[in-house]
Amino acid sequence: MERILVLPGDGIGPEVTREAQRVLEVVGAESGLALEFEEDLIGGAAIEAHGTPLADETVERARSCRAVLLGAVGGPRWDDMAVDVRPEKGLLRIRKELELFANLRPAAVFPALASASTLRPEVVDGIDLLVVRELTGGIYFGEPRGRGEVDGLREARNTMVYDESEIARIARVAFESAGRRRGEVTHVHKANVLEVSQLWMEVVAEVARDFPEVRLDHQLVDSMAMLLLREPARYDVIVTGNLFGDILSDEAAMITGSLGMLPSASLGEGGVGLYEPVHGSAPDIAGQDLANPLAAILSAAMLLEHSLDAPKPAARIRDAVTRVLEEGHRTSDLAAPDQTPLGCRAMGDQVLAQLSGS
Ligand code: IPM
Ligand code: MG
């Protein structure tokens, strides 16, 4: 029995993970995978219930499961809280506790959605990139951090710090991924200003020697933000630190049409993988059956592939999503003005219908 911990979280998290779980239940049963689902709290929901965004028991439970399927965390209700107690801290803590240092965020364009992008179709055509984001280090976790007062002025600080082992292991994930794809790694940095980035340049180049079949190039992060708009289809694997990866993965997601389509996998040395849509909790549309569940459903496909070694059922889910889109079904984030959008549940139903027909 493979145990999967579902952490729906806040906002649209519960709606979209519900659809992803339904898809996993159907595909799992048909593929002879014995999946068992458990549910627990994270983020604002956990703050309300336990006074902390992630209870120790939930961490232990996650460790004992094969994989975690997560929705999203955060919302206006907790926006005024200090960073070390707010919902996002629960997400950061589970990533750290499970040592999920490698965050894979694939951004590929579904042909049926090319017109949903804000970029021209000929620019969007052929986008198929993978952002490999370092997830447990850098400025998100560096010490010292905090707020204080110096000479009567409020002051705050964060520290961007990486050691060479953290850089080497994420670089290796990027090169291995590129070896299975188009064989190109673009390392994104700010080495004209930051010592941390200069170390990344050195270490990534050292790791590259073990992967002679993969081409490496380096791109400044500001210039990369621009190139992703100018010629996104040119890039294969982008490897970068935690903060730059956070920013560029939202950009990469949006140019494919909608943030509502992008899945992610967070992997590490502990053996438990965590899967979550890249989009956030979208509190403005939460609880109204308006959310797009496809990023969560595609995250479930990544779970099958990476944690359960089940690439075929994963491919079935992706094919089902592709066909649903080809048939013209759209949630409101994707719908053109003349299209009637489907709700979250109805979109889940369409994916299930495709799966049972295939
Ligand atoms: C993401 C999110 C998180 C991050 C937030 C919610 C803490 O933006 O997964 O990209 O910054 O990592
Ligand atoms: Mg983000």
Side-chain angles (χ1 to χ4, degrees), residues 47-66:
I47 293 177
E48 301 305 319
H50 308 304
T52 167
L54 183 68
D56 293 343
E57 299 75 54
T58 311
V59 175
E60 286 320 308
R61 202 161 171 192
R63 273 193 226 289
S64 71
C65 285
R66 168 67 67 176

Side-chain angles (χ1 to χ4, degrees), residues 73 88 91-92 95 105 133 135 140 246 250 276 278:
V73 297
E88 288 81 355
L91 180 56
L92 298 177
R95 290 171 175 172
R105 299 186 158 185
R133 168 190 178 194
L135 202 60
Y140 272 56
D246 177 45
D250 268 27
E276 56 177 319
V278 171

Side-chain angles (χ1 to χ4, degrees), residues 91-137:
L91 180 56
L92 298 177
R93 178 164 174 228
I94 199 164
R95 290 171 175 172
K96 191 74 171 175
E97 294 272 5
L98 300 179
E99 294 175 78
L100 304 170
F101 70 88
N103 184 215
L104 311 183
R105 299 186 158 185
V109 66
F110 286 87
L113 290 185
S115 62
S117 174
T118 49
L119 299 184
R120 289 195 308 274
E122 67 268 26
V123 178
V124 174
D125 188 35
I127 296 179
D128 181 9
L129 56 85
L130 174 68
V131 178
V132 177
R133 168 190 178 194
E134 201 291 327
L135 202 60
T136 52

